[in-house]
Amino acid sequence: LNNYMTIELKAKKSRNVKIISLIIMAINIAVMAAWLSNFQSVLSAFSGDQFMGFTSAVSFFLLSLGVLTSQKRSNSILLLSKVAIVSVLIISVLTIGQYLFNFDNVVNVFDLKFSSRLPFWVSICFLLIGGAIWGMHSKSNVINKITQYCY
């Protein structure tokens, strides 16, 4: 009976993770579409200021994609999850590098077109979240425990 309850709870957790990931992906697709179509009134409808930058929307989308695809056990799908999470880590590190070392990089393409450079602390948050998601799916128990306690 106890094993059945554990399986049932895992199934509910997996379903909830999928639903939340899909909702976050849909919101960020809408934000990216608004940026790409230059529909600024949608982006500032809530607060009168920019709702979310393009690079933030891309990063949130990639994190959600990484979490969603990590629910599957297919090697090709798990590779997609890893690529999405590593992409967020790269964007974060490059953006932090822009602030600390004052250099331009490939992320600057987003900055110039959409004027939406990630704020420094947001980059650090994406770095930590990406690292936590990466660590949660590690096969090493040590990394899993460190990830749980640190993040």
Side-chain angles (χ1 to χ4, degrees):
L1 181 66
N2 192 22
N3 191 27
Y4 174 74
M5 289 177 59
T6 303
I7 292 170
E8 188 177 313
L9 287 174
K10 284 184 180 181
K12 284 183 180 180
K13 177 185 170 192
S14 178
R15 187 185 74 234
N16 291 341
V17 166
K18 289 175 186 174
I19 291 169
I20 291 169
S21 294
L22 289 170
I23 290 169
I24 292 171
M25 288 173 70
I27 290 169
N28 287 289
I29 287 171
V31 171
M32 288 185 285
W35 273 106
L36 292 172
S37 65
N38 203 19
F39 200 45
Q40 299 298 328
S41 62
V42 171
L43 296 171
S44 61
F46 298 104
S47 64
D49 197 11
Q50 179 178 317
F51 176 64
M52 182 187 305
F54 186 80
T55 310
S56 295
V58 169
S59 296
F60 275 120
F61 176 82
L62 290 171
L63 285 175
S64 298
L65 179 66
V67 169
L68 180 66
T69 54
S70 71
Q71 301 295 309
K72 302 290 183 189
R73 292 296 165 217
S74 163
N75 286 339
S76 59
I77 300 294
L78 288 174
L79 178 64
L80 178 60
S81 174
K82 290 178 181 180
V83 167
I85 299 303
V86 167
S87 298
V88 171
L89 294 172
I90 289 171
I91 290 170
S92 299
V93 167
L94 290 175
T95 304
I96 291 168
Q98 281 182 302
Y99 282 103
L100 295 179
F101 306 113
N102 213 12
F103 69 89
D104 290 334
N105 56 45
V106 73
V107 179
N108 204 31
V109 172
F110 292 145
D111 300 341
L112 295 175
K113 180 158 178 61
F114 302 110
S115 65
S116 65
R117 183 181 194 182
L118 284 175
F120 179 75
W121 294 110
V122 173
S123 300
I124 290 177
C125 288
F126 276 123
L127 183 67
L128 293 174
I129 293 169
I133 293 170
W134 183 269
M136 286 188 320
H137 300 292
S138 173
K139 293 188 188 329
S140 167
N141 286 334
V142 173
I143 293 176
N144 283 334
K145 287 185 181 194
I146 291 171
T147 301
Q148 287 175 359
Y149 290 118
C150 289
Y151 301 103

